[in-house]
Amino acid sequence: MSFGFSELAAIRLGFGLSPLMPPAPDVDALLAGVAHAGPLPDAMTTETARAMTLELRDTRRAREEDKSEANEEAFQIVNTRMGMVPIYDLRDRIARAVDDGVGFGERLVQFWADHFTVISAGSATHPLAVAFVDEAIRPHIGGRFEDMFFAADTHPMMLTYLNQSQSKGPNSPFVKNRPKMELGLNENLAREAMELHSLGVDAGYSQDDVRQLAELLTGMEYTANLGFRYRADVAEPGAETVLGKSYGGNRRGGMEDIRTALTDIARRPETARYLSRKLAVHFVSDDPGEDLVNELAGVWQETQGDLPSVYRVLATHPDLVTNLRKKVRQPFEVIVAALRALGVNGGRLADLDDKQLRRFFWGPMIAMGQPWGKPTGPDGWPEEAESWIAPQMLAARINWTMNMPRGLLPRQLPDPREMLISTFGGTQSAQLSWAVPKAESAAEGVALILASNDFNRR
């Protein structure tokens, strides 16, 4: 195989090559491209999401109080609009990934949004889940991990998902004044903050550390009615000791105490090790070499979690090339990479109607085993190849590669021989190079490329 950094980085760190745009020529260009994955001017915000949720609530109440035809119609319009939010979010996320010249930034958005998994429980929180990515993830993928950690674990969507608003300090004035109510701590956020978001389950912290952090996190509250608030009357009074360090004291500093604690956790060597390995698993290999993990963790600690410095190690380490095709592309990656290979741009996706969005993307994501925004739990989507290559999922991938190109581009399919070159840039196997030119039609040749092992692995 004959290829260079540009092809390797596009396939392994981005969403694949595209005939519409050149790949990043070097590491500096790759890292500079991360800035393009920041929030757009029309990004979803918590306030916009809150307004949408209140509109849904108000139209539902109006329908319940007065079952008139007008109230029913008003509710159905709003309810349908809220139900479409995840589908439009999928469309927009695909479009941004398709149009990202470098691709690394949008891959990082996917990685970090999955790392800090939130799951919408229904239409009322769909917009807030979109706001979470635009407010907590996108602004921080090119900064320090500690800032993303704080933004994600204090975001209204995370508080909603992990029931943090139900967590009350057992000795707080709020609880003391309501002795007959069963109020107290909810440890969900504290546990996930340590176990999944930073230190990792094997970091050696205790249940007491989790409880102390849970006490420190009390006071944060989000409701659609009132928005985000820090309530001192709900916060557990006094000092909490987390991993040997005391926070709070006689005069609680509210959100500043929480920020300090999360920053200290973010800067611990266990966090550096855990997240360095997770990055290596996602981008390089299901079983990454210790040399790569050690180098990533070392730079993480030296720079106190400066993510671009960590990304540079990832992009320049020899394991990136020696482990080519060791990772199975997840369904979202397959869809984006296929569209890029076909020369489709984001503008084409904007022209699709709701039925087409369901047919080409929403439904296939479900069939391939990755329903959009619906992982099975707070640990996000699995990484190991076995989770994505079960017979039923493989059949769904093959069906999609055979049907989507002809449906989306009925009269514009590329020449498979040219597509082979532009898609793989010299990384393709000899078997695929032999088979594609022998395809009896353009549709068959395109399907051979998109269904190949070469394409479904990176």
Side-chain angles (χ1 to χ4, degrees):
M1 293 185 290
S2 177
F3 56 89
F5 173 83
S6 296
E7 294 78 14
L8 180 72
I11 293 170
R12 302 229 67 198
L13 301 177
F15 284 101
L17 294 159
S18 168
L20 301 181
M21 61 195 89
D26 52 39
V27 174
D28 289 335
L30 179 84
L31 297 177
V34 172
H36 299 305
L40 298 174
D42 62 348
M44 181 70 75
T45 66
T46 294
E47 282 307 302
T48 299
R50 180 171 161 242
M52 294 172 71
T53 299
L54 291 174
E55 184 183 18
L56 178 66
R57 183 203 66 183
D58 292 345
T59 55
R60 179 183 285 116
R61 285 181 177 175
R63 183 189 65 166
E64 292 171 352
E65 294 170 1
D66 179 3
K67 301 185 183 301
S68 66
E69 186 176 332
N71 284 346
E72 177 66 28
E73 182 180 359
F75 169 74
Q76 291 300 336
I77 290 173
V78 176
N79 192 47
T80 299
R81 184 192 310 141
M82 294 287 276
M84 289 300 296
V85 166
I87 296 178
Y88 293 152
D89 178 50
L90 174 59
R91 176 199 63 193
D92 295 343
R93 292 276 286 276
I94 291 174
R96 287 199 68 171
V98 166
D99 286 342
D100 186 347
V102 175
F104 189 38
E106 289 301 315
R107 276 288 304 283
L108 289 169
V109 170
Q110 292 300 117
F111 172 81
W112 288 116
D114 185 63
H115 176 72
F116 292 105
T117 287
V118 295
I119 302 174
S120 174
S123 295
T125 52
H126 286 343
L128 194 60
V130 177
F132 174 80
V133 176
D134 284 338
E135 293 178 328
I137 304 301
R138 287 189 181 277
H140 302 292
I141 59 170
R144 292 189 180 277
F145 173 74
E146 62 198 47
D147 296 323
M148 189 192 303
F149 185 28
F150 177 77
D153 278 27
T154 62
H155 191 275
M157 185 61 208
M158 188 68 76
L159 305 187
T160 300
Y161 174 49
L162 296 179
N163 302 310
Q164 178 61 25
S165 296
Q166 298 175 14
S167 188
K168 316 293 184 186
N171 298 299
S172 67
F174 185 89
V175 172
K176 290 288 190 180
N177 292 334
R178 295 163 177 80
K180 294 183 179 181
M181 299 179 67
E182 296 183 1
L183 301 171
L185 283 181
N186 184 311
E187 297 181 357
N188 287 355
L189 178 59
R191 187 172 306 282
E192 306 308 0
M194 300 179 83
E195 180 178 315
L196 294 179
H197 299 166
S198 60
L199 300 167
V201 69
D202 299 321
Y205 54 85
S206 67
Q207 169 57 28
D208 188 56
D209 288 317
V210 174
R211 183 174 178 83
Q212 292 280 296
L213 181 59
E215 290 180 354
L216 186 66
L217 295 174
T218 54
M220 292 192 295
E221 181 179 279
Y222 173 81
T223 64
N225 278 339
L226 299 172
F228 176 86
R229 298 185 296 169
Y230 181 84
R231 297 182 56 184
D233 65 319
V234 169
E236 178 71 2
E240 277 73 48
T241 301
V242 182
L243 297 169
K245 184 170 181 180
S246 179
Y247 302 92
N250 293 327
R251 301 188 64 176
R252 291 287 292 271
M255 294 301 295
E256 284 308 307
D257 286 334
I258 293 172
R259 179 185 283 275
T260 300
L262 294 182
T263 298
D264 288 344
I265 292 172
R267 293 182 181 180
R268 290 183 67 90
E270 299 94 331
T271 297
R273 180 78 185 178
Y274 173 66
L275 286 171
S276 292
R277 189 176 194 285
K278 190 166 185 178
L279 279 163
V281 167
H282 181 77
F283 285 99
V284 179
S285 169
D286 289 348
D287 185 21
E290 286 301 300
D291 178 64
L292 170 59
V293 175
N294 290 338
E295 193 169 338
L296 289 167
V299 170
W300 186 296
Q301 289 182 253
E302 289 170 9
T303 64
Q304 294 188 330
D306 177 66
L307 294 176
S309 298
V310 177
Y311 301 154
R312 184 176 290 275
V313 173
L314 193 68
T316 56
H317 199 277
D319 283 5
L320 196 67
V321 62
T322 57
N323 285 275
L324 179 63
R325 302 263 144 69
K326 293 292 179 66
K327 288 293 298 183
V328 171
R329 277 176 166 156
Q330 296 180 13
F332 181 83
E333 296 177 47
V334 168
I335 287 175
V336 174
L339 294 173
R340 288 172 69 94
L342 290 166
V344 175
N345 60 31
R348 175 72 182 90
L349 305 184
D351 294 334
L352 300 178
D353 59 31
D354 295 353
K355 183 178 180 181
Q356 290 171 314
L357 290 174
R358 292 180 186 276
R359 173 189 171 192
F360 293 135
F361 309 126
W362 186 263
M365 286 277 289
I366 295 172
M368 293 182 205
Q370 195 175 35
W372 183 246
K374 294 293 183 182
T376 56
D379 53 347
W381 296 109
E383 285 287 348
E384 61 273 9
E386 293 76 14
S387 297
W388 303 109
I389 56 174
Q392 187 174 355
M393 295 177 186
L394 280 177
R397 290 186 184 222
I398 294 170
N399 288 337
W400 185 78
T401 60
M402 294 178 64
N403 297 320
M404 181 279 294
R406 288 179 290 185
L408 191 63
L409 304 170
R411 293 178 297 276
Q412 303 169 352
L413 285 178
D415 185 319
R417 294 164 297 184
E418 296 176 359
M419 183 178 172
L420 181 70
I421 297 170
S422 63
T423 298
F424 297 108
T427 67
Q428 70 272 15
S429 64
Q431 294 91 332
L432 193 63
S433 294
W434 177 86
V436 169
K438 292 177 169 49
E440 295 184 359
S441 67
E444 182 181 307
V446 167
L448 274 174
I449 291 172
L450 300 184
S452 68
N453 182 69
D454 290 14
F455 187 82
N456 281 271
R457 290 178 177 267
R458 54 167 169 79

